[in-house]
């Protein structure tokens, strides 16, 4: 894919671009405005789940019209393409969240195992409220019921990369979300 005036060449390892850079930009702004409206007058504590969230959270917070705190966690639940169901905290928050309105910012919710584990773990730290904002959601892959307050895009059961999402640590820098070719996996 090559658009005149805009450099938008699809990476050779992808079979299609599922969500373009423009679509992401528009939706991220909408989510930021929705969150700003819902949390008007409040301070919100955003928890970015590394590494996948790094582009999403940085774009999201730029458009917020509320006071924010931002911290990060790193957890590991995937080995290559498969969810192991075993979640490990590799990097924890630097600040306490008791009594705070918390929004967890994820790149993608697939089986739901990771976000379910993380939400439960963080609830034991007694936040005032806790919600989830995910850029992508694969509803057909769910293994456990999870409550997602803010969803950027529902997508089909395809392995996607780009805009923070990786396969074996590659493709995170792509400005769009694309489907990886079967032969690459
Ligand atoms: P879950 O526990 O199955 O919901 O998976 C959540 C995590 O798996 C995400 O934070 C991603 O790191 C990873 N993941 C799930 N699906 C994809 C995908 O299609 N591409 C890249 N990473 C994915």
């Amino acid at each position: 894919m090559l658009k005149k005036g805009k450099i938008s060449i699809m990476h050779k390892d992808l079979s299609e671009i599922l969500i373009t850079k423009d679509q992401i930009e528009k939706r991220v702004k909408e989510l930021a405005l929705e969150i700003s409206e819902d949390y008007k007058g409040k301070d919100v504590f955003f928890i970015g789940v590394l590494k996948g969230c790094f582009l999403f959270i940085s774009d999201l917070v730029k458009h917020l019209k509320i006071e924010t705190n931002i911290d990060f966690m790193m957890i590991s639940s995937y080995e290559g393409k498969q969810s192991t169901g075993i979640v490990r905290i590799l990097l924890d928050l630097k600040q306490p969240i008791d009594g705070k309105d918390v929004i967890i910012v994820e790149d993608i919710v697939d089986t739901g195992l990771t976000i379910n584990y993380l939400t439960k773990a963080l609830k034991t730290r007694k936040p005032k409220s806790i919600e989830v904002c995910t850029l992508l959601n694969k509803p057909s892959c769910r293994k456990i019921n999870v409550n997602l307050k803010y969803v950027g895009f529902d997508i089909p059961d395809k392995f996607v990369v780009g805009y923070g999402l990786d396969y074996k640590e590659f493709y995170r820098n792509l400005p769009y979300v694309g489907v990886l070719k079967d032969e690459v996996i």
Side-chain angles (χ1 to χ4, degrees):
M1 184 174 108
L2 181 61
K3 280 188 193 161
K4 216 180 166 192
K6 290 183 186 178
I7 301 168
S8 190
I9 302 162
M10 188 167 78
H11 192 289
K12 64 174 176 44
D13 293 347
L14 302 184
S15 58
E16 63 175 302
I17 292 180
L18 205 59
I19 309 168
T20 65
K21 181 173 174 282
D22 290 352
Q23 287 172 318
I24 293 172
E25 269 172 23
K26 182 170 175 279
R27 186 69 189 120
V28 171
K29 268 187 210 162
E30 285 171 2
L31 285 173
L33 291 181
E34 200 181 326
I35 292 170
S36 302
E37 200 52 44
D38 292 351
Y39 289 84
K40 214 179 222 166
K42 294 182 179 173
D43 299 352
V44 179
F45 194 104
F46 285 86
I47 300 176
V49 184
L50 294 171
K51 299 176 191 170
C53 78
F54 80 106
L55 290 180
F56 178 39
I57 195 167
S58 58
D59 286 342
L60 183 76
V61 297
K62 279 182 227 162
H63 298 291
L64 290 170
K65 308 211 177 304
I66 47 175
E67 297 298 328
T68 65
N69 262 248
I70 303 164
D71 205 344
F72 293 94
M73 293 183 86
M74 191 185 285
I75 53 178
S76 131
S77 65
Y78 264 58
E79 294 292 335
K81 195 181 159 245
Q82 291 293 314
S83 180
T84 59
I86 302 161
V87 178
R88 287 185 300 140
I89 295 182
L90 305 177
L91 173 78
D92 208 339
L93 300 173
K94 294 277 180 286
Q95 305 163 60
I97 55 165
D98 55 297
K100 302 198 171 152
D101 290 304
V102 170
I103 298 182
I104 304 173
V105 181
E106 261 282 20
D107 54 352
I108 187 164
V109 177
D110 185 342
T111 62
L113 294 173
T114 308
I115 201 65
N116 178 61
Y117 171 89
L118 192 59
T119 309
K120 274 193 181 154
L122 290 172
K123 273 184 182 167
T124 65
R125 301 183 192 186
K126 307 266 184 288
K128 188 172 162 200
S129 68
I130 189 157
E131 300 290 354
V132 177
C133 174
T134 183
L135 177 75
L136 306 174
N137 178 33
K138 286 187 198 170
S140 61
C141 298
R142 207 66 96 243
K143 289 190 180 159
I144 193 159
N145 192 30
V146 286
N147 181 28
L148 307 176
K149 185 155 188 196
Y150 304 101
V151 174
F153 302 91
D154 282 337
I155 61 166
D157 181 12
K158 293 180 174 180
F159 194 81
V160 293
V161 294
Y163 197 65
L165 289 103
D166 76 309
Y167 176 62
K168 296 191 173 172
E169 296 300 329
F170 287 98
Y171 314 108
R172 290 192 196 276
N173 59 309
L174 300 178
Y176 47 78
V177 173
V179 179
L180 210 51
K181 283 180 184 163
D182 284 344
E183 61 259 36
V184 179
I185 299 170

